[in-house]
Amino acid sequence: MVLDRRTLLRGGLVAGGGAAFGLLNGAPAAALLRTRPSLTHGVQSGDVTAHEAVVWARSDRPARMLVEISRRPDFRHARTVPGPVLTPGTDLTGKTFLRGLPAGEEVHYRVRLADPDRHGLVSAPAVGRLRTAPRERRDVSFVWSGDLAGQGWGINPDVGGYRIFRAMAAVDPDFFLCSGDLVYADNPMQERVALPDGRTWRNVVTPEKTKVAETLAEYRGQFRYNLLDENLRAFNARVPMIYQWDDHEVVNNWYPGEILDLPQYGEKRVDVLAARARRAMFEYTPIAVRDAHRGRVYRKLSYGPSMDVFVLDMRTHKDPNGANDSPTRREGVLGTEQLAWLKRELRRSRATWKVIAADLPLGLIVPDGTAQEGIAQGDGGAPLGREREIADLLSFAKRHRVRNMVWFTADVHYTAAHYYDPEKAAFKDFDPFWEFVSGPLNAGAFGPNKLESTFGPQLRFQQAPPRANTSPAEGYQFFGEAAIDGASQELTVRLRDIDGKVLYTKTLTPAR
């Protein structure tokens, strides 16, 4: 079945069986006046701490967002937090900032939309839940992955849509660490794609997904597209997100100042495209930033004494892709300000585990044509180019006894575990650490990439597809789970497949 594009134009919902339900966005004005406001794409929460959280929603028309919160699922003794008026200026999206939440508890929330002019005209509710961070040592867990709707592989009702989110929800994590590429703004879709085995992959397609995104409206449409999937909406309502971006939210392998040489783009200035994508990203994700123009992506979130999460931004400050072999350059992916912040916050952290959420892997060679897109530049010798920035950070951590850093990333579209061993590295001034790779969520599978030895990465596990751009129909889609035992403080990492099957497990004991 090819879904009617006009039905989906302004954000219809897709059930697992492929049925489409039109929203009221395209309805005549008179019909809207006779009806209540409506939530169009479910609810999300994010950037949860011990006492604060963000709740997100989108309306079909201007309306006031209201959020009820309670410790109980029946919402007895609930309190209502008034949120913003959702207007076309933010594509009818909005966030309500919750404060004064109880630490270490499950919190239930219920979102309604109120007509700003007609008292008592209120939408049907949408319900969600979240768990706040504990103040004491308790069990804490999260899942992570990245890359959704990439390489033209979108929502396919025949296979249950984005079914990996069902497996992720079954783990019942405290939060989802999205490692970037939540949308693929540069990957148009076709309604049907022939598979190597003779089958046909069918995509739900919206107008915004038929071309590369260039306008603000088209970037907004990338986020709306993914929220058509009922698995993702159900997951969002139960699991808070910590979000970081990577390249495909804008365009493949982008960096500031780049001028595109791609015929499909009328707007060639990446800085212009990135500004539009950034605004859409802040509008459509539950990131705790109010000002999309001045807000930053990198930040720290604390989950009690067991874990601090350091979310990096390796795009906003990235240098141009080239040979990546400068022997003197001190910046590369983090920039002076972010690197200083990261060093300062790592040194201040008293959490047992320092989780580094990176949108690029450290030791994998990631080419961009004849240039280098990633951090590793391939010669395996002393740090050059972007490696120098990472070397500076690692030696700082060793010098100041920053223990138990663990890196989590996606980007390369397969899953792997790497142990970085200074005894086997060209650069040795660091303490050993682990890096875990996962993804994609629903995109073409690739890999494996080559490791290079500047920081001594040792391959402990990997699973990759038999060929490039393997479709999700063949199952090479992955997510990871990380769980901290509150009593022992051991961190157990499990790499899982699309159905949640555990492929690899590693338990780390914290260094003292």
Side-chain angles (χ1 to χ4, degrees):
M1 178 184 66
V2 178
L3 298 176
D4 184 347
R5 292 182 180 178
R6 290 176 296 178
T7 301
L8 294 169
L9 175 59
R10 301 299 291 272
L13 302 184
V14 177
F21 301 93
L23 298 176
L24 295 174
N25 297 63
L32 292 177
L33 290 174
R34 293 192 299 268
T35 58
R36 300 181 295 172
S38 177
L39 289 154
T40 64
H41 292 81
V43 292
Q44 305 178 63
S45 66
D47 281 13
V48 175
T49 63
H51 299 294
E52 297 182 351
V54 175
V55 171
W56 175 97
R58 182 175 184 267
S59 178
D60 68 337
R61 74 197 73 181
R64 170 75 68 181
M65 184 178 175
L66 304 172
V67 182
E68 295 175 85
I69 56 176
S70 174
R71 285 186 167 102
R72 298 169 52 114
D74 62 6
F75 287 89
R76 287 190 63 185
H77 310 300
R79 66 182 175 97
T80 299
V81 180
V85 174
L86 313 185
T87 70
T90 58
D91 203 29
L92 300 169
T93 66
K95 305 173 191 178
T96 298
F97 292 78
L98 307 181
R99 295 181 174 83
L101 300 176
E105 292 194 25
E106 187 167 278
V107 175
H108 301 268
Y109 64 89
R110 186 163 57 191
V111 179
R112 299 180 191 268
L113 302 173
D115 190 292
D117 300 317
R118 292 171 293 165
H119 182 71
L121 202 59
V122 180
S123 74
V127 176
R129 65 125 208 206
L130 56 88
R131 280 197 291 267
T132 54
R135 284 295 190 187
E136 67 281 353
R137 286 187 174 182
R138 297 252 300 263
D139 294 352
V140 178
S141 69
F142 66 91
V143 292
W144 89 95
S145 190
D147 300 283
L148 188 60
Q151 290 72 50
W153 308 111
I155 301 169
N156 183 352
D158 294 344
V159 299
Y162 295 156
R163 63 188 179 93
I164 195 170
F165 287 100
R166 296 202 298 267
M168 291 166 65
V171 174
D172 194 25
D174 289 294
F175 63 89
F176 166 46
L177 172 58
C178 177
S179 302
D181 294 337
L182 181 60
V183 301
Y184 268 69
D186 56 338
N187 280 192
M189 286 182 183
Q190 299 176 349
E191 290 165 343
R192 286 177 169 81
V193 183
L195 298 176
D197 61 5
R199 291 179 296 166
T200 298
W201 178 276
R202 297 190 306 111
N203 285 316
V204 171
V205 177
T206 63
E208 293 89 350
K209 294 300 294 184
T210 61
K211 68 178 293 293
V212 296
E214 298 178 83
T215 68
L216 175 58
E218 289 166 347
Y219 279 110
R220 287 166 167 169
Q222 306 301 309
F223 288 91
R224 284 201 306 273
Y225 176 82
N226 283 336
L227 293 172
L228 300 178
D229 182 75
E230 70 171 8
N231 305 299
L232 177 56
R233 294 196 311 276
F235 180 80
N236 285 343
R238 293 191 59 80
V239 181
M241 180 194 297
I242 297 177
Y243 171 78
Q244 68 185 150
W245 72 342
D246 194 26
D247 56 335
H248 290 285
E249 280 87 351
V250 183
V251 62
N252 185 44
N253 295 346
W254 75 275
Y255 49 84
E258 183 180 8
I259 303 299
L260 297 177
D261 184 22
L262 298 172
Q264 63 267 43
Y265 282 89
E267 176 55 72
K268 306 293 188 182
R269 297 168 296 174
V270 165
D271 288 353
V272 173
L273 298 174
R276 293 167 182 168
R278 182 184 182 87
R279 178 171 171 178
M281 177 264 288
F282 278 114
E283 289 173 347
Y284 272 88
T285 60
I287 185 172
V289 173
R290 295 178 183 271
D291 188 341
H293 299 287
R294 288 181 288 184
R296 71 187 194 192
V297 175
Y298 68 86
R299 61 207 188 277
K300 183 187 84 169
L301 294 107
S302 295
Y303 263 76
S306 297
M307 176 173 61
D308 282 341
V309 182
F310 299 85
V311 183
L312 305 186
D313 178 359
M314 294 173 154
R315 284 293 153 189
T316 302
H317 313 285
K318 192 171 187 283
D319 64 0
N321 288 349
N324 190 29
D325 59 358
S326 170
T328 58
R329 187 171 179 85
R330 301 183 64 86
E331 299 178 2
V333 290
L334 300 177
T336 301
E337 182 179 320
Q338 183 176 191
L339 180 60
W341 162 84
L342 182 57
K343 288 179 177 179
R344 182 174 65 250
E345 293 299 327
L346 282 170
R347 193 175 181 185
R348 289 176 178 173
S349 175
R350 295 296 175 263
T352 302
W353 294 100
K354 289 79 173 173
V355 167
I356 311 297
D359 45 298
L360 287 170
L362 295 183
L364 289 172
I365 301 170
V366 184
D368 179 17
T370 58
Q372 295 297 329
E373 152 71 359
I375 294 165
Q377 50 78 42
D379 74 353
L384 297 173
R386 297 170 189 141
E387 294 171 337
R388 289 172 51 80
E389 197 174 41
I390 301 303
D392 182 18
L393 173 65
L394 296 178
S395 62
F396 172 90
K398 178 181 179 180
R399 187 165 63 252
H400 293 283
R401 299 180 60 82
V402 176
R403 304 299 190 212
N404 307 317
M405 283 197 303
V406 185
W407 293 66
F408 294 87
T409 190
D411 184 64
V412 288
H413 296 231
Y414 68 98
T415 190
H418 305 141
Y419 177 66
Y420 286 78
D421 185 353
E423 295 302 317
K424 298 179 180 180
F427 174 81
K428 300 179 181 297
D429 187 22
F430 67 96
D431 293 324
F433 65 94
W434 284 82
E435 174 186 65
F436 297 97
V437 184
S438 196
L441 288 163
N442 191 97
F446 291 83
N449 292 48
K450 292 182 179 179
L451 284 165
E452 73 111 85
S453 57
T454 294
F455 300 117
Q458 305 299 299
L459 179 64
R460 294 292 187 255
F461 173 81
Q462 70 181 18
Q463 188 167 124
R467 61 187 175 279
N469 198 19
T470 300
S471 83
E474 297 187 49
Y476 290 91
Q477 312 289 293
F478 307 102
F479 71 96
E481 174 201 3
I484 299 174
D485 182 276
S488 68
Q489 292 292 280
E490 288 183 334
L491 170 63
T492 299
V493 177
R494 300 177 181 90
L495 302 180
R496 296 177 179 263
D497 69 8
I498 190 171
D499 296 312
K501 178 184 176 182
V502 176
L503 306 172
Y504 174 82
T505 301
K506 179 65 183 180
T507 296
L508 306 179
T509 301
R512 305 298 181 184

